[in-house]
Each structure stands twice: as C-alpha cells, then as structure tokens.
Amino acid sequence: MHRNTLTSGAIGLAAFALSSTALAGGLERHGYDVDLLFEKSPYVFDGTVTYVMPNRELKNAVDHSVPAGNPTNLNNIGTYSTSADGAQNYVDPYVGAKAAIGDSIDCMIDYSEPWGANANPGRFWTGAKDMTEIEVFSRNYGGTCSYKFDAGPGQFRVIGGGFYQEIGGHKEAIVFAPEILPALGAELGGLDFSGFSGLGRLEGMEDRSGGWRLGIGYEIPEYAMRASLVYNSRVKYDSIGGTLNLTGVPAATALLETNLLKRAVYERVFGQKTPVIGSATLPDSLELKLQSGVAPDWLAFGSVKWTNWSLLQSVAFTCDGSAAFCGNATGVPLTALDLFYRDGWTVTGGVGHKFNEQWSGGASLTWDRGTSTVTGSNSDSWTVGLGTAYTPTENVELRFAGALGILTGGESNPTNMTTASYEYGTDLVSALSAELKVKF
C-alpha cells in the first residue's frame, strides 16, 4: 500500500471540519473534544474561536394563555407582532494544551463552553408570555489522559478523564401585558398599576457539577488511519439556584385567578423576589470518529455521535423555602423550562487534501437530527463546512473555516408551562472559525 504523506494540517481538518458544524441539537454548542491527545508533537497549544450566525424566524405566533376573544390575549393587542427573531449570533471559544509524559502517556487540559442558548424575540410578539429573552451559558474545565501501546501494525490507546462544569442563565416573559394593566387596576377597584412592566424574570440561575469520560483509540500513523470511541458521562445539576423576580407584576392581580390553589401561590410571589431552586441532567454522549488515508495526500473522515438529550424534558423551579413569604408556595412549581427533547444524532463525512508542504484543505457534510418534539424550534439541520490549514513553520499551524447550513422548518405547540404556538420555515445558519496551533 502506498504510504500517505499527509501533514498534520490535513489530518487535523477532520476535526476542524467538525468544529465548524454551526448548530447542533439541544443546547449543544461545542460539545466535548479530546483530539489533542492524538497530536504527534510532545507539546501542543490550541486556541479556536468560532462565530455562529443562526437565522431563525418565528411566525404565525398565537397566544393560547386565554381564549381568543379575551381582550388580554396578545393577539388582540395591536402593538404585538405574530413574528419574531428566534435566535442570536454567538461566539464559541476553545483553549487546550497537551503534553506527552514519556513515550506512552499523553495528557491534555482544556476550556470550552459546551452548552448554551441565546434568543431575544423581544416583548412585542404574541409569544411573549412564553419568552421575551433567554440565555443559557456554560463553562467547562477538562483534564484527560491516554495510555498507548503497540498492537499489531499500529498503537492502541486507552483514554480517561474528567471535567468540571458551571452553568447559568436567565429567562424573561410577560405575565400581564403592560398595555392592559390600567384596565385590570380599574377592574380591581380603581388601583393604579401604572409603572409596572408586567414582566417576570427567572434570573441568576447557577450551579456547578462534574462528569467523566472513558474511551479507546487505535492508530496506524503510516496510513493516517485513526479510530476513536469516547463516552462522556451525563452531568447532574441538583441545585440550580436563582430568583423569580415578579416585582414588575402588581400583587393585587393575583385576585384575578379563579383557581384557588394558584391564587394562593400567586399571592405569595406576585410583586416579590422569590428564591427558587431546580434540577436538571445534561446528557451523556457516545462518539465514534474514523479517518484514513485513501490515496497519496488524500484523507477521508467521518463520525457518528449520539447525545442523550431525552434526559432533558421539563426543568421546574420551585420556591426553595429560604424565605418566610414562600409559605404554601414551597415545593409548588412556579415556573419551568419546557424542552421535551428527544435524543440527538449527528453524522459527518468529509475529505481532506494536502496541496503542498504548507497548505491543506478539507470539506465536510454534517446532518444533525433536531431534538425538538412538541415545543421549540430545534429541527434537523444540514451543514457544509470548508476549511484550510496553513503551516508556515513546523511549529505553527493556522486554520480557517466557514460553514453554511439549512435549518429545516416545523412548528411549536403549547405544553404544561408554555402558552404559545408558532411556526418556522427553512432558514439558514452560517459560521466562521479561526484556529492557532503551536507545537514543540
């Protein structure tokens, strides 16, 4: 068989093309990556920044919180639009470093932001009782090592490590449209509700936890052949603390609730800041990656990843009981993030080519199965990625990539804790990525 002379730049494009996959399922942004362990240089520093630009338009939104003829229905207030922007641009950073310990052990540390969400459809759309703004962020600090030994024509590698994570965020929504608050005040005996925003905000959400990973790999460097299978554990967040800020909602509006149990709860929390607590489990994943030289200076690569997003259904927040005014609201769900995800699957294939000693290029095609079911706008996506690697010296490597994808259409319907329905069509997503790798 002809010996392949692919540079590390061409081989690395197998991973780089994956990193330019612009929009994965669930809350995934970067996911997990241990490819630095396979670098041949004893010491490697890697820094990457990806800028993602999703374009998702929500349309034909309907407020189902009250009957269609009710004057408080947002569809009956002329200042509210039935369409909104459902996604925001974001930055995905990554920093990692690898060191060889003797001839058999490689270790790496890295920082990434694997999970996240940003949307700001604003206050003036008819789905605003579900969301006017949401942010979810994460910070992940990982450490992973591998032990390799000769096996047949190549080397077998055992991989293991752990990671520490922080998550947080906020969500804002309309409880009562401020345009109708004066009329509600008059209905309740001439109360003055001017100056109230009518907004509720779940803010300061934050928790910390950790997880572990275990995997195997096999390499035949002579043919640029590599296979790896890595499992990353689920991460349990048992104490996501935060505050339900309902100071923008007049306390007296609780009297409008006809359900006596709900009214008793609203009387405790309307007009107040209430400490709340919730729990969630972020998914485990299993990823298989393959690559091999297929001709002189040509590389083929692919991957299949399963992510257990069905773990994340509805994240309820209840009064944590730390304040006396919680009273009979303790343990009662005050708000929730209804996600109702299904498992995610991501499949990628591509090729890399070495043009000369300094330049390499690669292309990839990725399909990601959307995780949304009854609610949300996370549908299937198809993404094409193109990348190039420039190696001015044997110690420095620069990579640049772009991606363009299609987000397929669908619809979102009301759930236990959501009250709006809307549709979304086929939209575009794009991304740009730059990477610097220094080797010693």
PDB file of all heavy atoms in Angstrom, residues 153-166:
ATOM      1  N   PRO A 153      -0.113  -3.629  13.671  1.00  0.00           N
ATOM      2  CA  PRO A 153       0.663  -2.658  12.888  1.00  0.00           C
ATOM      3  C   PRO A 153       0.589  -1.241  13.448  1.00  0.00           C
ATOM      4  O   PRO A 153       1.279  -0.356  12.942  1.00  0.00           O
ATOM      5  CB  PRO A 153      -0.011  -2.717  11.519  1.00  0.00           C
ATOM      6  CG  PRO A 153      -1.414  -3.122  11.808  1.00  0.00           C
ATOM      7  CD  PRO A 153      -1.335  -4.054  12.985  1.00  0.00           C
ATOM      8  N   GLY A 154      -0.227  -0.993  14.461  1.00  0.00           N
ATOM      9  CA  GLY A 154      -0.380   0.356  14.982  1.00  0.00           C
ATOM     10  C   GLY A 154      -0.295   0.410  16.485  1.00  0.00           C
ATOM     11  O   GLY A 154       0.344  -0.419  17.137  1.00  0.00           O
ATOM     12  N   GLN A 155      -0.976   1.406  17.074  1.00  0.00           N
ATOM     13  CA  GLN A 155      -0.964   1.619  18.516  1.00  0.00           C
ATOM     14  C   GLN A 155      -2.396   1.716  19.037  1.00  0.00           C
ATOM     15  O   GLN A 155      -3.247   2.384  18.442  1.00  0.00           O
ATOM     16  CB  GLN A 155      -0.207   2.908  18.867  1.00  0.00           C
ATOM     17  CG  GLN A 155       1.293   2.823  18.613  1.00  0.00           C
ATOM     18  CD  GLN A 155       2.000   4.089  19.037  1.00  0.00           C
ATOM     19  OE1 GLN A 155       1.529   5.193  18.796  1.00  0.00           O
ATOM     20  NE2 GLN A 155       3.156   3.925  19.692  1.00  0.00           N
ATOM     21  N   PHE A 156      -2.614   1.042  20.148  1.00  0.00           N
ATOM     22  CA  PHE A 156      -3.904   1.090  20.824  1.00  0.00           C
ATOM     23  C   PHE A 156      -3.822   2.106  21.959  1.00  0.00           C
ATOM     24  O   PHE A 156      -2.786   2.219  22.622  1.00  0.00           O
ATOM     25  CB  PHE A 156      -4.272  -0.295  21.367  1.00  0.00           C
ATOM     26  CG  PHE A 156      -5.661  -0.389  21.898  1.00  0.00           C
ATOM     27  CD1 PHE A 156      -6.726  -0.619  21.042  1.00  0.00           C
ATOM     28  CD2 PHE A 156      -5.913  -0.248  23.246  1.00  0.00           C
ATOM     29  CE1 PHE A 156      -8.025  -0.717  21.528  1.00  0.00           C
ATOM     30  CE2 PHE A 156      -7.199  -0.343  23.747  1.00  0.00           C
ATOM     31  CZ  PHE A 156      -8.263  -0.575  22.876  1.00  0.00           C
ATOM     32  N   ARG A 157      -4.897   2.827  22.188  1.00  0.00           N
ATOM     33  CA  ARG A 157      -4.882   3.902  23.180  1.00  0.00           C
ATOM     34  C   ARG A 157      -6.101   3.777  24.103  1.00  0.00           C
ATOM     35  O   ARG A 157      -7.234   3.589  23.636  1.00  0.00           O
ATOM     36  CB  ARG A 157      -4.900   5.258  22.470  1.00  0.00           C
ATOM     37  CG  ARG A 157      -4.666   6.454  23.346  1.00  0.00           C
ATOM     38  CD  ARG A 157      -4.772   7.742  22.542  1.00  0.00           C
ATOM     39  NE  ARG A 157      -3.756   7.880  21.519  1.00  0.00           N
ATOM     40  CZ  ARG A 157      -2.676   8.653  21.611  1.00  0.00           C
ATOM     41  NH1 ARG A 157      -2.470   9.337  22.723  1.00  0.00           N
ATOM     42  NH2 ARG A 157      -1.824   8.741  20.619  1.00  0.00           N
ATOM     43  N   VAL A 158      -5.861   3.864  25.414  1.00  0.00           N
ATOM     44  CA  VAL A 158      -6.932   3.895  26.401  1.00  0.00           C
ATOM     45  C   VAL A 158      -7.043   5.324  26.914  1.00  0.00           C
ATOM     46  O   VAL A 158      -6.035   5.936  27.299  1.00  0.00           O
ATOM     47  CB  VAL A 158      -6.663   2.925  27.565  1.00  0.00           C
ATOM     48  CG1 VAL A 158      -7.781   3.000  28.597  1.00  0.00           C
ATOM     49  CG2 VAL A 158      -6.511   1.498  27.048  1.00  0.00           C
ATOM     50  N   ILE A 159      -8.260   5.860  26.936  1.00  0.00           N
ATOM     51  CA  ILE A 159      -8.498   7.273  27.240  1.00  0.00           C
ATOM     52  C   ILE A 159      -9.391   7.391  28.473  1.00  0.00           C
ATOM     53  O   ILE A 159     -10.376   6.670  28.615  1.00  0.00           O
ATOM     54  CB  ILE A 159      -9.180   7.978  26.040  1.00  0.00           C
ATOM     55  CG1 ILE A 159      -8.309   7.864  24.783  1.00  0.00           C
ATOM     56  CG2 ILE A 159      -9.472   9.439  26.359  1.00  0.00           C
ATOM     57  CD1 ILE A 159      -9.029   8.239  23.507  1.00  0.00           C
ATOM     58  N   GLY A 160      -9.043   8.310  29.366  1.00  0.00           N
ATOM     59  CA  GLY A 160      -9.870   8.553  30.537  1.00  0.00           C
ATOM     60  C   GLY A 160      -9.650   9.953  31.083  1.00  0.00           C
ATOM     61  O   GLY A 160      -8.569  10.525  30.929  1.00  0.00           O
ATOM     62  N   GLY A 161     -10.666  10.508  31.713  1.00  0.00           N
ATOM     63  CA  GLY A 161     -10.519  11.845  32.282  1.00  0.00           C
ATOM     64  C   GLY A 161     -11.803  12.325  32.930  1.00  0.00           C
ATOM     65  O   GLY A 161     -12.774  11.584  33.087  1.00  0.00           O
ATOM     66  N   GLY A 162     -11.806  13.596  33.331  1.00  0.00           N
ATOM     67  CA  GLY A 162     -12.959  14.195  33.973  1.00  0.00           C
ATOM     68  C   GLY A 162     -13.079  15.654  33.619  1.00  0.00           C
ATOM     69  O   GLY A 162     -12.191  16.242  32.988  1.00  0.00           O
ATOM     70  N   PHE A 163     -14.190  16.252  34.037  1.00  0.00           N
ATOM     71  CA  PHE A 163     -14.402  17.670  33.762  1.00  0.00           C
ATOM     72  C   PHE A 163     -15.292  18.273  34.838  1.00  0.00           C
ATOM     73  O   PHE A 163     -16.108  17.605  35.467  1.00  0.00           O
ATOM     74  CB  PHE A 163     -15.012  17.889  32.372  1.00  0.00           C
ATOM     75  CG  PHE A 163     -16.173  16.984  32.044  1.00  0.00           C
ATOM     76  CD1 PHE A 163     -17.469  17.325  32.377  1.00  0.00           C
ATOM     77  CD2 PHE A 163     -15.952  15.775  31.388  1.00  0.00           C
ATOM     78  CE1 PHE A 163     -18.529  16.501  32.074  1.00  0.00           C
ATOM     79  CE2 PHE A 163     -17.013  14.937  31.070  1.00  0.00           C
ATOM     80  CZ  PHE A 163     -18.310  15.301  31.419  1.00  0.00           C
ATOM     81  N   TYR A 164     -15.086  19.565  35.035  1.00  0.00           N
ATOM     82  CA  TYR A 164     -15.852  20.362  35.993  1.00  0.00           C
ATOM     83  C   TYR A 164     -16.612  21.412  35.207  1.00  0.00           C
ATOM     84  O   TYR A 164     -16.046  22.074  34.334  1.00  0.00           O
ATOM     85  CB  TYR A 164     -14.905  21.010  36.996  1.00  0.00           C
ATOM     86  CG  TYR A 164     -15.527  22.074  37.871  1.00  0.00           C
ATOM     87  CD1 TYR A 164     -16.278  21.730  38.994  1.00  0.00           C
ATOM     88  CD2 TYR A 164     -15.371  23.422  37.580  1.00  0.00           C
ATOM     89  CE1 TYR A 164     -16.838  22.710  39.806  1.00  0.00           C
ATOM     90  CE2 TYR A 164     -15.928  24.410  38.382  1.00  0.00           C
ATOM     91  CZ  TYR A 164     -16.659  24.045  39.489  1.00  0.00           C
ATOM     92  OH  TYR A 164     -17.220  25.010  40.287  1.00  0.00           O
ATOM     93  N   GLN A 165     -17.917  21.570  35.507  1.00  0.00           N
ATOM     94  CA  GLN A 165     -18.751  22.463  34.725  1.00  0.00           C
ATOM     95  C   GLN A 165     -19.485  23.460  35.605  1.00  0.00           C
ATOM     96  O   GLN A 165     -19.855  23.169  36.734  1.00  0.00           O
ATOM     97  CB  GLN A 165     -19.807  21.675  33.931  1.00  0.00           C
ATOM     98  CG  GLN A 165     -19.321  21.108  32.630  1.00  0.00           C
ATOM     99  CD  GLN A 165     -20.433  20.435  31.847  1.00  0.00           C
ATOM    100  OE1 GLN A 165     -21.611  20.638  32.111  1.00  0.00           O
ATOM    101  NE2 GLN A 165     -20.048  19.619  30.876  1.00  0.00           N
ATOM    102  N   GLU A 166     -19.729  24.623  35.009  1.00  0.00           N
ATOM    103  CA  GLU A 166     -20.603  25.630  35.591  1.00  0.00           C
ATOM    104  C   GLU A 166     -21.668  25.982  34.554  1.00  0.00           C
ATOM    105  O   GLU A 166     -21.357  26.117  33.371  1.00  0.00           O
ATOM    106  CB  GLU A 166     -19.824  26.896  35.957  1.00  0.00           C
ATOM    107  CG  GLU A 166     -18.681  26.662  36.921  1.00  0.00           C
ATOM    108  CD  GLU A 166     -17.779  27.868  37.070  1.00  0.00           C
ATOM    109  OE1 GLU A 166     -17.788  28.729  36.160  1.00  0.00           O
ATOM    110  OE2 GLU A 166     -17.083  27.950  38.088  1.00  0.00           O
TER     111      GLU A 166
END
